Amino acid sequence: MADINLKGMGVALITPFKEDESVDYDALGKLVDYQLQNGTDYLVVLGTTAETPTLTEEEKKKIVDLIVTKVNGRIPIVLGVGGNCTRTIVDKLKNDNFDGIDAILSVVPYYNKPSQEGIYQHYKAIAEATKLPIVLYNVPGRTGVNMSAATTLRIAREFKNVVAVKEASGNITQMDDIIKNKPANFNVISGDDGITFPLITLGAIGVISVIGNAFPREFSRMVRLALAGDYDNARKIHHGFTELFELLFVDGNPAGAKSMLNAMGFIENKLRLPLVPTRITTFEKIRDVLRQLSIKC
């Protein structure tokens, strides 16, 4: 099993679409270059923020191939491989080509609402199907079920290739419990930009960020300062983004991130149904905040 360093800021990449809703591969390539040039520590590909459920298998393959080629080994790539059918995920892990992929991110099964034992057995099957490092992803607001600290720790202790959890439960007490009791080879990663700073002070190693799509240099600096213990300067950057944290998700993800990137001139403001762009009022508020931050828009 290859080692992977997930300390710092990973970015959950969006998928740009053209006006006709086809994938804008040119814009995606430019976004990857933007990340590489501005301090992003690793990329998360085909996650929630990428609108992955709306992509065809052919589009997913082209997106992964483009990003792997662009990155060319300079930073790690974490690929989203999740779902609510364990057998399908296992088959994919055993049969697909993962050249250029450094780890997988796998979400707690959604819709089915499995028990804690079901969640454990799901990840057991996944861990035994691949030698790649695995990052668990707990996001009960989307999946309908919370993976408890006890289940996370059980998985972390029993499977050495399960190396981290992206925690987006919003439950600081639960996250702190995991950090306090985790094995040495396992880490906690923030799944929520807004709580990244306080979570790092508790012992998290960084974030898989949405706002990093638009602000990789600034947000990665905040993460590095916090990790270095320079809490005063990290807090200043954190507070500078407070309003954007709220605007980012008020109309859903990735609508907020796409509005920001559109206002900054990177992409068309297009999503695929059932997702739609932010409301005009939200978009105008985002533009106002960007102007205050001296971002060209």
Side-chain angles (χ1 to χ4, degrees), residues 78-252:
V78 179
L79 180 65
V81 183
N84 58 350
C85 176
T86 308
R87 182 177 294 182
T88 299
I89 301 170
V90 167
D91 288 346
K92 183 177 182 67
L93 290 171
K94 287 182 175 180
N95 298 312
D96 281 15
N97 177 15
F98 289 90
D99 289 346
I101 302 302
D102 298 282
I104 68 165
L105 174 72
S106 199
V107 69
V108 170
Y110 43 83
Y111 188 73
N112 308 35
K113 298 191 77 171
S115 66
Q116 295 301 308
E117 182 63 24
I119 294 171
Y120 167 81
Q121 293 294 340
H122 173 82
Y123 281 120
K124 178 179 187 289
I126 289 173
E128 292 174 347
T130 182
K131 293 182 179 179
L132 283 168
I134 297 165
V135 180
L136 314 175
Y137 181 17
N138 186 38
V139 56
R142 288 185 178 274
T143 63
V145 61
N146 176 56
M147 180 168 62
S148 69
T151 300
T152 300
L153 292 167
R154 180 186 180 193
I155 297 165
R157 290 168 182 148
E158 293 189 20
F159 306 103
K160 298 303 180 185
N161 60 331
V162 178
V163 299
V165 61
K166 177 185 176 184
E167 249 291 348
S169 66
N171 186 334
I172 292 288
T173 301
Q174 174 170 298
M175 299 178 203
D176 193 34
D177 188 5
I178 298 169
I179 292 167
K180 178 182 176 181
N181 296 296
K182 69 180 183 64
N185 66 321
F186 185 82
N187 289 295
V188 174
I189 300 168
S190 173
D192 182 342
D193 288 317
I195 64 168
T196 297
F197 171 68
L199 203 57
I200 288 175
T201 68
L202 292 174
I205 63 164
V207 61
I208 293 176
S209 174
V210 174
I211 205 168
N213 277 279
F215 299 102
R217 182 181 298 274
E218 296 85 350
F219 206 61
S220 66
R221 174 169 167 74
M222 188 282 289
V223 171
R224 292 190 183 102
L225 287 169
L227 288 169
D230 188 351
Y231 297 142
D232 287 343
N233 284 314
R235 189 183 300 108
K236 290 175 184 176
I237 299 173
H238 165 77
H239 284 155
F241 281 113
T242 301
E243 190 172 359
L244 278 181
F245 290 148
E246 181 178 353
L247 290 170
L248 197 65
F249 294 102
V250 68
D251 291 331

Side-chain angles (χ1 to χ4, degrees), residues 266-284:
F266 281 103
I267 64 169
E268 299 292 338
N269 194 17
K270 295 294 294 185
L271 293 86
R272 282 183 178 172
L273 290 171
L275 301 182
V276 295
T278 60
R279 293 167 291 174
I280 296 297
T281 52
T282 303
F283 186 77
E284 289 304 320

Side-chain angles (χ1 to χ4, degrees), residues 4-6 40-44 71 73-78 100 102-103:
I4 183 170
N5 181 7
L6 297 175
T40 297
D41 293 297
Y42 59 97
L43 295 175
V44 177
V71 170
R74 285 177 282 180
I75 59 175
I77 296 173
V78 179
D102 298 282

